[in-house]
Amino acid sequence: MAGMPPATVEVSAAVVHALLRDQRPDLAGRPLVRVANGWDNATFRLGGDLAVRLPRRDEAVPLVLHEQRYLPSIAARSPVPVPEPVHAGRPTPDFPWPWSIVRWVHGIPAVDAGLDRGRAVDGLAAFLLSLHVPAEPDVPVNPVRGVPLIDRNAVVLERLGDRKRYPRARELTAVWAEACAAAAWDGPAMMLHGDLHPANILLAADGTLAGVIDFGDVGAGDPAVDLAVGWLMFDAGTRQRFIGAFGSGLDRGMWVRARGWALVLSTAMVSNSDDNPRMFSVGEFGIGQVLAG
Protein backbone atom coordinates (compact mmCIF):
# COMPACT_ATOMS: atom_id res chain seq x y z
CA MET A 1 0.00 0.00 0.00
CA ALA A 2 1.38 3.44 -0.98
CA GLY A 3 0.75 6.35 1.36
CA MET A 4 2.10 9.44 3.07
CA PRO A 5 5.75 9.20 4.14
CA PRO A 6 6.32 8.92 7.89
CA ALA A 7 7.27 11.98 9.90
CA THR A 8 10.83 12.45 11.11
CA VAL A 9 9.42 14.61 13.89
CA GLU A 10 5.85 14.37 15.15
CA VAL A 11 4.71 17.91 15.85
CA SER A 12 2.39 18.29 18.84
CA ALA A 13 0.43 21.28 20.09
CA ALA A 14 2.66 21.26 23.18
CA VAL A 15 5.74 21.78 20.99
CA VAL A 16 4.05 24.66 19.14
CA HIS A 17 3.04 26.29 22.44
CA ALA A 18 6.66 26.05 23.62
CA LEU A 19 7.92 27.68 20.42
CA LEU A 20 5.41 30.50 20.73
CA ARG A 21 6.25 31.15 24.38
CA ASP A 22 9.92 31.31 23.47
CA GLN A 23 9.77 33.41 20.28
CA ARG A 24 6.36 35.07 20.09
CA PRO A 25 5.02 35.38 23.63
CA ASP A 26 2.58 38.03 22.37
CA LEU A 27 0.79 35.23 20.46
CA ALA A 28 1.19 32.39 22.96
CA GLY A 29 -2.22 32.89 24.56
CA ARG A 30 -4.18 32.47 21.35
CA PRO A 31 -6.27 29.35 20.65
CA LEU A 32 -4.25 26.74 18.75
CA VAL A 33 -5.90 24.02 16.62
CA ARG A 34 -4.25 21.49 14.31
CA VAL A 35 -5.82 21.81 10.87
CA ALA A 36 -3.53 19.72 8.64
CA ASN A 37 -0.87 17.05 8.84
CA GLY A 38 0.39 16.84 5.28
CA TRP A 39 3.21 15.09 3.50
CA ASP A 40 5.65 17.87 4.37
CA ASN A 41 4.17 20.16 7.01
CA ALA A 42 1.97 20.24 10.06
CA THR A 43 -0.29 23.29 10.15
CA PHE A 44 -2.03 24.76 13.20
CA ARG A 45 -4.50 27.62 13.17
CA LEU A 46 -3.45 30.32 15.62
CA GLY A 47 -6.39 32.49 16.62
CA GLY A 48 -8.54 33.77 13.79
CA ASP A 49 -5.99 35.30 11.43
CA LEU A 50 -2.72 33.35 11.68
CA ALA A 51 -1.38 29.82 11.18
CA VAL A 52 1.78 28.00 12.27
CA ARG A 53 3.53 25.79 9.70
CA LEU A 54 6.22 23.36 10.78
CA PRO A 55 8.10 20.75 8.72
CA ARG A 56 7.47 17.16 9.78
CA ARG A 57 10.33 15.53 7.86
CA ASP A 58 13.88 16.48 6.81
CA GLU A 59 13.04 16.88 3.13
CA ALA A 60 10.53 19.64 3.93
CA VAL A 61 12.95 21.96 5.72
CA PRO A 62 14.14 23.75 2.55
CA LEU A 63 10.49 24.19 1.51
CA VAL A 64 9.74 26.24 4.64
CA LEU A 65 12.74 28.44 3.90
CA HIS A 66 11.60 28.91 0.31
CA GLU A 67 8.15 30.03 1.50
CA GLN A 68 9.74 32.52 3.89
CA ARG A 69 11.98 33.89 1.15
CA TYR A 70 9.61 34.15 -1.80
CA LEU A 71 6.03 34.46 -0.51
CA PRO A 72 6.28 38.15 0.46
CA SER A 73 6.87 39.23 -3.14
CA ILE A 74 4.19 36.84 -4.42
CA ALA A 75 1.73 38.24 -1.87
CA ALA A 76 2.50 41.79 -2.96
CA ARG A 77 1.30 41.15 -6.52
CA SER A 78 -1.33 38.43 -6.01
CA PRO A 79 -4.97 39.46 -6.56
CA VAL A 80 -6.07 37.02 -3.82
CA PRO A 81 -4.69 36.29 -0.34
CA VAL A 82 -1.80 33.86 0.12
CA PRO A 83 -0.20 32.69 3.41
CA GLU A 84 2.35 35.46 3.71
CA PRO A 85 4.90 34.81 6.52
CA VAL A 86 4.79 37.16 9.50
CA HIS A 87 7.42 35.35 11.61
CA ALA A 88 10.38 33.17 10.64
CA GLY A 89 10.76 30.76 13.53
CA ARG A 90 14.17 29.55 14.72
CA PRO A 91 15.11 26.00 15.76
CA THR A 92 15.12 25.32 19.50
CA PRO A 93 15.79 22.32 21.76
CA ASP A 94 12.04 21.57 21.42
CA PHE A 95 12.05 21.62 17.61
CA PRO A 96 15.13 21.15 15.39
CA TRP A 97 14.14 23.08 12.26
CA PRO A 98 12.98 26.51 11.04
CA TRP A 99 9.21 27.08 11.08
CA SER A 100 6.79 29.87 10.19
CA ILE A 101 3.84 31.89 11.36
CA VAL A 102 1.80 32.92 8.32
CA ARG A 103 -1.42 34.79 7.64
CA TRP A 104 -4.48 32.54 7.71
CA VAL A 105 -6.25 32.50 4.35
CA HIS A 106 -10.02 32.18 4.66
CA GLY A 107 -11.94 29.93 2.28
CA ILE A 108 -13.14 26.42 1.53
CA PRO A 109 -10.70 24.03 -0.20
CA ALA A 110 -12.06 23.44 -3.69
CA VAL A 111 -11.75 19.68 -3.17
CA ASP A 112 -14.24 19.93 -0.29
CA ALA A 113 -16.46 22.76 -1.42
CA GLY A 114 -19.14 21.00 -3.45
CA LEU A 115 -19.50 24.27 -5.36
CA ASP A 116 -19.47 25.10 -9.05
CA ARG A 117 -15.74 25.46 -9.62
CA GLY A 118 -16.38 27.29 -12.86
CA ARG A 119 -16.87 30.54 -10.96
CA ALA A 120 -13.17 30.40 -10.00
CA VAL A 121 -11.91 30.41 -13.61
CA ASP A 122 -11.22 34.12 -13.97
CA GLY A 123 -9.74 34.52 -10.51
CA LEU A 124 -7.42 31.54 -10.92
CA ALA A 125 -6.23 32.77 -14.31
CA ALA A 126 -5.58 36.23 -12.84
CA PHE A 127 -3.63 34.69 -9.97
CA LEU A 128 -1.43 32.70 -12.34
CA LEU A 129 -0.80 35.71 -14.55
CA SER A 130 0.37 37.60 -11.47
CA LEU A 131 2.53 34.70 -10.28
CA HIS A 132 4.25 33.81 -13.53
CA VAL A 133 6.92 36.48 -13.80
CA PRO A 134 10.59 35.84 -14.63
CA ALA A 135 12.33 34.42 -11.58
CA GLU A 136 15.34 36.02 -9.98
CA PRO A 137 18.58 34.07 -10.41
CA ASP A 138 18.53 32.77 -6.82
CA VAL A 139 15.09 31.12 -7.07
CA PRO A 140 15.60 27.34 -6.80
CA VAL A 141 14.64 24.83 -9.46
CA ASN A 142 12.50 22.08 -8.00
CA PRO A 143 13.85 18.82 -9.48
CA VAL A 144 10.35 17.35 -9.90
CA ARG A 145 8.27 20.42 -10.85
CA GLY A 146 8.62 22.74 -13.82
CA VAL A 147 11.47 20.77 -15.36
CA PRO A 148 11.42 19.24 -18.86
CA LEU A 149 8.74 16.56 -18.93
CA ILE A 150 11.18 13.95 -20.16
CA ASP A 151 12.89 14.22 -16.76
CA ARG A 152 9.73 12.69 -15.25
CA ASN A 153 9.41 9.96 -17.89
CA ALA A 154 10.70 7.03 -15.85
CA VAL A 155 8.49 7.66 -12.83
CA VAL A 156 5.35 8.26 -14.89
CA LEU A 157 5.84 5.07 -16.93
CA GLU A 158 6.52 3.13 -13.74
CA ARG A 159 3.24 4.34 -12.24
CA LEU A 160 1.30 3.56 -15.41
CA GLY A 161 2.70 0.04 -15.28
CA ASP A 162 0.25 -0.61 -12.44
CA ARG A 163 -2.68 -1.70 -14.60
CA LYS A 164 -4.90 -2.27 -11.59
CA ARG A 165 -4.73 1.42 -10.71
CA TYR A 166 -4.67 2.57 -14.32
CA PRO A 167 -6.88 0.31 -16.46
CA ARG A 168 -6.65 2.85 -19.29
CA ALA A 169 -2.86 2.99 -19.11
CA ARG A 170 -2.47 2.55 -22.87
CA GLU A 171 -4.42 5.77 -23.54
CA LEU A 172 -2.60 7.62 -20.76
CA THR A 173 0.76 6.51 -22.14
CA ALA A 174 -0.19 7.98 -25.52
CA VAL A 175 -1.12 11.29 -23.85
CA TRP A 176 2.20 11.23 -22.04
CA ALA A 177 4.16 10.60 -25.24
CA GLU A 178 2.45 13.53 -26.94
CA ALA A 179 3.26 15.81 -24.00
CA CYS A 180 6.92 14.77 -23.94
CA ALA A 181 7.16 15.41 -27.69
CA ALA A 182 5.80 18.98 -27.38
CA ALA A 183 8.18 21.87 -27.82
CA ALA A 184 10.08 22.51 -24.58
CA TRP A 185 9.73 25.79 -22.68
CA ASP A 186 12.35 28.14 -24.14
CA GLY A 187 11.50 31.29 -22.21
CA PRO A 188 12.98 32.53 -18.94
CA ALA A 189 12.48 30.42 -15.85
CA MET A 190 9.22 31.69 -14.32
CA MET A 191 8.05 31.81 -10.73
CA LEU A 192 5.92 28.74 -9.98
CA HIS A 193 3.57 27.54 -7.28
CA GLY A 194 4.50 23.97 -8.15
CA ASP A 195 1.66 22.16 -6.36
CA LEU A 196 -1.51 23.83 -7.60
CA HIS A 197 -4.52 21.56 -7.20
CA PRO A 198 -8.01 21.71 -5.60
CA ALA A 199 -6.77 21.03 -2.05
CA ASN A 200 -4.56 24.14 -2.26
CA ILE A 201 -7.15 26.39 -3.90
CA LEU A 202 -9.68 28.09 -1.60
CA LEU A 203 -13.13 29.20 -2.72
CA ALA A 204 -15.51 31.77 -1.29
CA ALA A 205 -19.10 30.85 -0.46
CA ASP A 206 -20.18 31.94 -3.96
CA GLY A 207 -17.56 29.72 -5.65
CA THR A 208 -15.17 32.49 -6.67
CA LEU A 209 -11.47 32.25 -5.86
CA ALA A 210 -10.74 33.22 -2.25
CA GLY A 211 -7.06 32.34 -1.94
CA VAL A 212 -4.20 29.98 -2.72
CA ILE A 213 -2.17 28.13 -0.10
CA ASP A 214 0.78 25.73 0.35
CA PHE A 215 3.72 27.22 -1.52
CA GLY A 216 6.25 24.67 -0.30
CA ASP A 217 7.11 23.73 -3.90
CA VAL A 218 7.62 27.34 -5.00
CA GLY A 219 10.44 27.56 -7.50
CA ALA A 220 11.47 28.49 -11.03
CA GLY A 221 10.83 26.76 -14.33
CA ASP A 222 8.21 25.96 -16.97
CA PRO A 223 4.84 27.54 -16.04
CA ALA A 224 3.02 24.61 -17.68
CA VAL A 225 3.26 22.78 -14.34
CA ASP A 226 0.85 25.30 -12.77
CA LEU A 227 -1.43 25.41 -15.82
CA ALA A 228 -2.04 21.70 -15.22
CA VAL A 229 -4.62 22.91 -12.71
CA GLY A 230 -6.97 23.23 -15.70
CA TRP A 231 -7.26 19.41 -15.67
CA LEU A 232 -7.05 18.98 -11.90
CA MET A 233 -9.73 21.58 -11.15
CA PHE A 234 -12.17 21.82 -14.08
CA ASP A 235 -14.25 19.67 -16.39
CA ALA A 236 -13.74 19.86 -20.15
CA GLY A 237 -16.14 22.73 -20.86
CA THR A 238 -14.90 24.86 -17.97
CA ARG A 239 -11.31 24.07 -18.91
CA GLN A 240 -11.83 25.68 -22.29
CA ARG A 241 -12.93 28.87 -20.54
CA PHE A 242 -9.85 28.65 -18.33
CA ILE A 243 -7.57 28.27 -21.35
CA GLY A 244 -9.39 31.14 -23.07
CA ALA A 245 -8.81 33.42 -20.09
CA PHE A 246 -5.11 33.53 -21.02
CA GLY A 247 -5.86 34.84 -24.49
CA SER A 248 -3.36 34.25 -27.28
CA GLY A 249 -0.30 34.68 -25.07
CA LEU A 250 0.19 30.93 -24.57
CA ASP A 251 0.75 28.61 -27.52
CA ARG A 252 -0.59 25.09 -28.01
CA GLY A 253 2.69 23.55 -26.88
CA MET A 254 2.22 25.10 -23.45
CA TRP A 255 -1.19 23.49 -23.03
CA VAL A 256 0.02 20.11 -24.31
CA ARG A 257 2.78 20.21 -21.69
CA ALA A 258 0.24 21.33 -19.08
CA ARG A 259 -1.86 18.26 -19.82
CA GLY A 260 1.29 16.18 -19.37
CA TRP A 261 1.94 17.82 -16.01
CA ALA A 262 -1.65 17.07 -15.02
CA LEU A 263 -0.83 13.42 -15.66
CA VAL A 264 2.36 13.67 -13.56
CA LEU A 265 0.49 15.20 -10.62
CA SER A 266 -2.60 13.01 -10.90
CA THR A 267 -0.60 9.79 -11.00
CA ALA A 268 1.44 10.94 -8.01
CA MET A 269 -1.78 11.28 -6.03
CA VAL A 270 -3.44 8.09 -7.26
CA SER A 271 -0.29 6.02 -6.68
CA ASN A 272 0.59 7.46 -3.25
CA SER A 273 -2.66 8.31 -1.48
CA ASP A 274 -4.04 4.97 -0.32
CA ASP A 275 -4.26 6.46 3.19
CA ASN A 276 -5.69 9.79 2.04
CA PRO A 277 -9.05 9.48 0.22
CA ARG A 278 -9.24 13.24 -0.21
CA MET A 279 -6.02 13.46 -2.24
CA PHE A 280 -6.83 10.22 -4.06
CA SER A 281 -10.05 11.86 -5.25
CA VAL A 282 -8.08 14.82 -6.66
CA GLY A 283 -5.85 12.45 -8.61
CA GLU A 284 -8.75 10.33 -9.81
CA PHE A 285 -10.58 13.42 -11.08
CA GLY A 286 -7.40 14.58 -12.82
CA ILE A 287 -6.92 11.24 -14.57
CA GLY A 288 -10.48 11.42 -15.86
CA GLN A 289 -9.95 14.91 -17.22
CA VAL A 290 -6.62 14.04 -18.83
CA LEU A 291 -8.44 11.26 -20.68
CA ALA A 292 -11.23 13.69 -21.62
CA GLY A 293 -8.72 15.84 -23.51
Side-chain angles (χ1 to χ4, degrees):
M1 175 179 284
M4 187 169 69
T8 307
V9 173
E10 289 294 350
V11 184
S12 67
V15 167
V16 179
H17 277 300
L19 293 171
L20 292 171
R21 286 193 300 269
D22 179 58
Q23 298 181 33
R24 288 300 301 262
D26 57 315
L27 301 175
R30 289 185 169 210
L32 184 73
V33 179
R34 185 192 296 270
V35 293
N37 204 43
W39 276 53
D40 295 319
N41 298 289
T43 302
F44 294 76
R45 188 167 183 177
L46 181 62
D49 61 341
L50 298 173
V52 184
R53 278 172 63 78
L54 310 95
R56 53 188 300 274
R57 58 193 189 108
D58 297 282
E59 294 86 347
V61 174
L63 310 185
V64 169
L65 297 174
H66 294 163
E67 288 184 339
Q68 292 174 354
R69 170 68 177 84
Y70 301 111
L71 261 174
S73 61
I74 292 172
R77 62 181 187 271
S78 174
V80 294
V82 299
E84 182 179 7
V86 299
H87 175 79
R90 305 181 304 277
T92 73
D94 295 303
F95 189 74
W97 298 318
W99 52 282
S100 299
I101 301 175
V102 302
R103 299 197 186 282
W104 178 262
V105 181
H106 294 272
I108 309 164
V111 66
D112 303 324
L115 300 169
D116 176 9
R117 296 179 183 179
R119 301 201 66 184
V121 162
D122 292 336
L124 193 53
F127 166 74
L128 287 170
L129 288 168
S130 78
L131 174 66
H132 291 162
V133 300
E136 297 295 330
D138 66 337
V139 178
V141 174
N142 186 316
V144 297
R145 303 290 165 88
V147 296
L149 279 173
I150 197 64
D151 291 1
R152 307 299 295 143
N153 187 57
V155 70
V156 170
L157 293 182
E158 180 181 4
R159 291 170 187 160
L160 293 179
D162 184 346
R163 296 306 173 95
K164 183 176 180 181
R165 290 184 192 270
Y166 304 102
R168 298 177 68 180
R170 186 183 300 274
E171 295 166 76
L172 292 168
T173 301
V175 170
W176 178 245
E178 180 186 16
C180 287
W185 173 247
D186 62 357
M190 306 294 272
M191 289 297 300
L192 308 174
H193 180 284
D195 196 27
L196 196 61
H197 56 69
N200 291 334
I201 295 167
L202 304 183
L203 304 182
D206 64 356
T208 57
L209 185 67
V212 177
I213 60 173
D214 198 348
F215 285 76
D217 285 308
V218 67
D222 179 1
V225 67
D226 288 342
L227 298 175
V229 74
W231 285 261
L232 299 172
M233 180 82 170
F234 303 124
D235 62 23
T238 308
R239 183 163 53 254
Q240 290 307 308
R241 290 202 291 117
F242 177 70
I243 292 171
F246 292 86
S248 60
L250 302 180
D251 62 19
R252 182 179 182 276
M254 177 72 80
W255 293 108
V256 173
R257 294 196 309 278
R259 188 183 180 200
W261 276 109
L263 182 57
V264 175
L265 298 172
S266 296
T267 55
M269 296 175 201
V270 168
S271 293
N272 297 290
S273 299
D274 288 343
D275 57 352
N276 190 335
R278 185 169 175 264
M279 294 307 297
F280 185 89
S281 73
V282 174
E284 192 173 44
F285 178 85
I287 291 293
Q289 292 307 308
V290 166
L291 288 167

